[in-house]
Amino acid sequence: MLSTRKLKRQVVVLSPRVLFSLLSDSGHETTRVSRCRMLVSWSSRPVNEFLESSLTNLNGPTVVVGIQGGFNHQSHSFSTLAGTILVQARDPAKLCMEIENAIDEHRFNDAWKLFEQHLHMDGFPRKSIVNKLLTSYSASLDVPWLEKAYGLVEQAIEESKQNLLEKEPLIYLSFVLAKCGLPVPASTVLRKLIQMEQYPPVTAWSAILAHMSLTAPGAYLAAELILEIGYLFQDGRVDPRKKINAPLIAMKPNTIAMNIALTGCLLFGTTRKAEQLLDMMPRIGIRADTNLLIIMAHIYERNGRREELRKLQRHIDDSQSLTDTQFRQFYNCLLTCHLKFGDLDAASNMVLIMLRKAREARNSFATAALLFPIDKKSSPGPVSEESLSHKESGGLGNNRSNKDLTISYEEFYRDRNFLKLDTEAKEVLSTLLVELQMQVELITTERGILQPTEKIYVKLVKAFLESGKTKELAAFLIKAEKEDSPASNDDSALVHVINSCISLGWLDQAHDLLDEMRLAGIRTSSSVYASLLKAYCKANQTGEVTALLRDARRAGIQLDSSSYNALIEFRVIQKDTKEALHIFKEMKEAKIPRTGHQEFEMLVKGCAEGGEAGLMAKLLQEIKEEQAADSGVHDWNNVIHFFCKKRLMQDAEKALKKMRSLGHAPNAQTFHSMVTGYAAIGGKYIEVTELWGEMKSIASATSMKFDQELLDSVLYTFVRGGFFSRANEVVDMMEKGKMFIDKYKYRTLYLKYHKTLYKGKTPKIQTESLVKKREAALTFKKWLGLN
């Protein structure tokens, strides 16, 4: 028997059926209440006081049933109560109507509160309400409401209510999330759709992919999505003749989607992931268009695949539909690759061929202009990079906000073939391609003719000087000047290079270049000799001073007063008074004015003050900032990559050992090839662990940094093999480097291979190693959010 005091302020939740039965059995008149949950409270206080104190936050109508005495129900017996029973009853149908009205009136706060109330009372509302919430919150373009919509989807799937989620609202939500710069939830919704077998057509998800690819994490996820979706279609796994496979076939990646993902990889530096996509293309039957050919060239250049570039060159030269900009991009990639491999002959020959063709084209144009005078007003003239970018992108300068560009759900739903999303995907791809073409630095285009820029001269000169090929450098520059004659010899590239060498203190190289210039019969002014002479005097190199003076006299060069002053001062310091007087006498007889020219000093001062960045300034900056590249690393990386791709890991190991013995340090690309090679044949976790140990020691001893792609491949291998202690180390390194990690992928991988790991009770007796393994696995599981 419960006393009145114990029942005071006690709250009991009863279903309508139980309450109806209780009231009927106790002899009270009852009225049937619609199916809902009721909150029943006993209190000795009056009803109006209870309402004011306890139910101020409750909305909607209530049913109050007065009871004058107690009631009995089978085993339950209550004493007579002088109180009231208050029952709050909300009709789910009416609540759904209120939610719908709130959504229609854009009262999103009220709609969410009512939705939560329905969720608490009777679970999820009906399907139409859930999807209306999703589409309305998506269309708001407000990040907090987008997060609410995403959370709703996650909750529905967790509670196995995915049958309430319709395909079109989920595609729309994913599209808006991607467009608002939220690539991670956008990709998750897309993955959930595929998991639920609600396959989105490629015309829809390519637009989602496009907006994701505008950010670094999104570009990485876009590549992952292509790999995951493409895996379903590899090697003809899906029979297109079966009608049941039609929705799945509609999802198959196409050339547009592939171009988007690959361009995103290039813009954000995940080029090895891009190469994995290229390897997958023939296996799913994707054919390359002109854009894809150029994108492939960029990928091969970044990864040092020179042979692949040479094979691609045949297709490029035979293609009739490539634009001037695309040709320029390809040959820029080829030229950059020659420099990477230290093939200076191939690179310099490319530059000379471009110069010769440009000269021939100029001569042809000049002849045509004489025969057929061109009206300057109607002549198109050279096209600027900016105008070219705007033209090719279809309006790149259009900076409309997301709200102006977003498709409403009604418009989205009516477009059953997702043609507008397909158009938007192509527009974003054009923007991405413009960003890519703006990275071309070595080659420019004038009236459709390829021409080298100063940047390629700078890189070539640096490479020639670093390899000690001074004679070859002079020969190249002399040939280049014959094809593209400068305004004067003093303004030639060779003179600028000599002055740069003097500024850097490379006096022997400068002297060698000056000798080559003299032997080729190219006359230069006294300023170059004067600059080198002063540098020799400052460096106290007597023999070189004497040799240079002899060369200057042979060339008929008259030195200026500053040079004579430097020579006199040099001889005085050496206590060679006789030679100092002789030089002074020679200066008097030559009647050289005191105010000699100071071209070199002015040039160096201009470079230091950041004036107009000419060839000399750019060369100085390039040499000071960039370290010498080890071209041999690229050769060995290609060998190792070939063996790993063919799964010949023993040969790859031998090549890596030989690479080290020759003094070439392996880099991130080397390790990536090895790790992915071991992962491809499976079960080689010990070998990957040994590589990981070497990588950690290299990272601690040198300034070498390991990128996201390499660490991600190592992490994937460790999680697949259950090496969670090592996996935690990789996660720690990636998080310290602020690298993006695709947790969804690793959560899926963990649940696939280790779902039941350490789920039972902890054994009472364990070795220390087993305890550490268990702790590492639980730590990783907690990081995934699976606790």
Side-chain angles (χ1 to χ4, degrees), residues 27-75:
H28 291 86
E29 291 184 5
T30 58
T31 304
R32 190 75 179 179
V33 185
S34 63
R35 180 183 174 274
C36 63
R37 292 181 184 178
M38 296 185 177
L39 184 65
V40 182
S41 177
W42 292 269
S43 175
S44 59
R45 291 176 293 171
V47 173
N48 59 349
E49 182 183 343
F50 187 89
L51 281 170
E52 290 174 359
S53 62
S54 303
L55 298 177
T56 53
N57 293 326
L58 292 179
N59 298 320
T62 59
V63 178
V64 180
V65 183
I67 300 178
Q68 299 301 323
F71 60 87
N72 299 315
H73 180 253
Q74 297 176 3
S75 62

Side-chain angles (χ1 to χ4, degrees), residues 332-519:
N332 184 86
C333 292
L334 185 58
L335 190 51
T336 305
C337 217
H338 286 324
L339 289 174
K340 275 185 179 179
F341 281 83
D343 192 346
L344 302 182
D345 290 337
S348 56
N349 284 336
M350 274 189 68
V351 172
L352 293 173
I353 290 169
M354 279 189 278
L355 289 172
R356 185 173 66 251
K357 289 184 176 180
R359 178 173 55 81
E360 291 170 357
R362 282 196 302 270
N363 293 340
S364 299
F365 185 79
T367 304
L370 288 173
L371 296 174
F372 308 99
I374 301 173
D375 185 3
K376 290 184 180 180
K377 293 182 181 179
S378 62
S379 177
V383 181
S384 67
E385 191 76 39
E386 186 179 358
S387 63
L388 179 66
S389 302
H390 282 263
K391 180 185 283 188
E392 293 201 356
S393 66
L396 185 61
N398 191 355
N399 294 321
R400 290 180 293 170
S401 66
N402 283 337
K403 291 188 177 181
D404 296 330
L405 291 169
T406 298
I407 304 169
S408 66
Y409 181 71
E410 291 74 18
E411 189 179 2
F412 170 87
Y413 188 78
R414 286 195 300 269
D415 187 10
R416 304 302 295 175
N417 295 320
F418 302 103
L419 297 177
K420 290 187 178 179
L421 288 191
D422 187 45
T423 301
E424 187 156 346
K426 291 174 182 176
E427 289 175 355
V428 177
L429 174 59
S430 296
T431 304
L432 294 172
L433 290 173
V434 168
E435 290 292 325
L436 185 62
Q437 78 183 42
M438 294 300 286
Q439 296 179 359
V440 174
E441 295 181 327
L442 306 184
I443 299 175
T444 186
T445 311
E446 185 177 341
R447 293 189 175 91
I449 305 300
L450 301 177
Q451 288 188 324
T453 63
E454 275 191 339
K455 186 76 173 177
I456 182 57
Y457 282 109
V458 167
K459 288 189 174 293
L460 271 172
V461 168
K462 176 176 178 282
F464 273 118
L465 290 173
E466 285 177 348
S467 59
K469 297 181 177 180
T470 311
K471 187 174 182 180
E472 291 82 353
L473 171 60
F476 161 68
L477 291 175
I478 290 168
K479 288 177 184 177
E481 285 165 8
K482 286 180 180 177
E483 299 291 349
D484 187 24
S485 301
S488 67
N489 288 336
D490 293 336
D491 192 38
S492 67
L494 190 51
V495 170
H496 283 294
V497 171
I498 294 170
N499 285 333
S500 299
C501 290
I502 295 170
S503 180
L504 290 165
W506 300 349
L507 305 184
D508 291 340
Q509 290 92 329
H511 199 163
D512 289 344
L513 289 171
L514 199 55
D515 284 343
E516 294 295 332
M517 196 172 179
R518 180 174 55 81
L519 292 172

Side-chain angles (χ1 to χ4, degrees), residues 202 205-206 209-211 213-214 219 222-223 226 253-267 274 277-278 280-281 284 286-299 326 425-434 436:
V202 65
W205 67 260
S206 59
L209 217 66
H211 289 288
S213 297
L214 296 172
I226 291 271
N254 60 10
T255 307
I256 299 296
M258 187 64 72
N259 281 339
I260 289 168
L262 291 172
T263 309
C265 287
L266 282 168
L267 292 174
L277 293 176
L278 291 183
M280 189 185 69
M281 277 175 49
I284 61 176
I286 291 181
R287 291 187 177 182
D289 61 359
T290 55
N291 285 328
L292 191 47
L293 286 175
I294 302 305
I295 292 169
M296 289 167 67
H298 280 283
I299 294 167
Q326 289 171 327
K426 291 174 182 176
E427 289 175 355
V428 177
L429 174 59
S430 296
T431 304
L432 294 172
L433 290 173
V434 168
L436 185 62

Side-chain angles (χ1 to χ4, degrees), residues 706-708 711 733-741:
F706 299 108
D707 54 38
Q708 176 190 3
L711 294 178
M733 185 180 283
M734 293 183 78
E735 288 184 339
K736 283 181 180 177
K738 297 181 180 179
M739 300 177 192
F740 171 73
I741 309 175

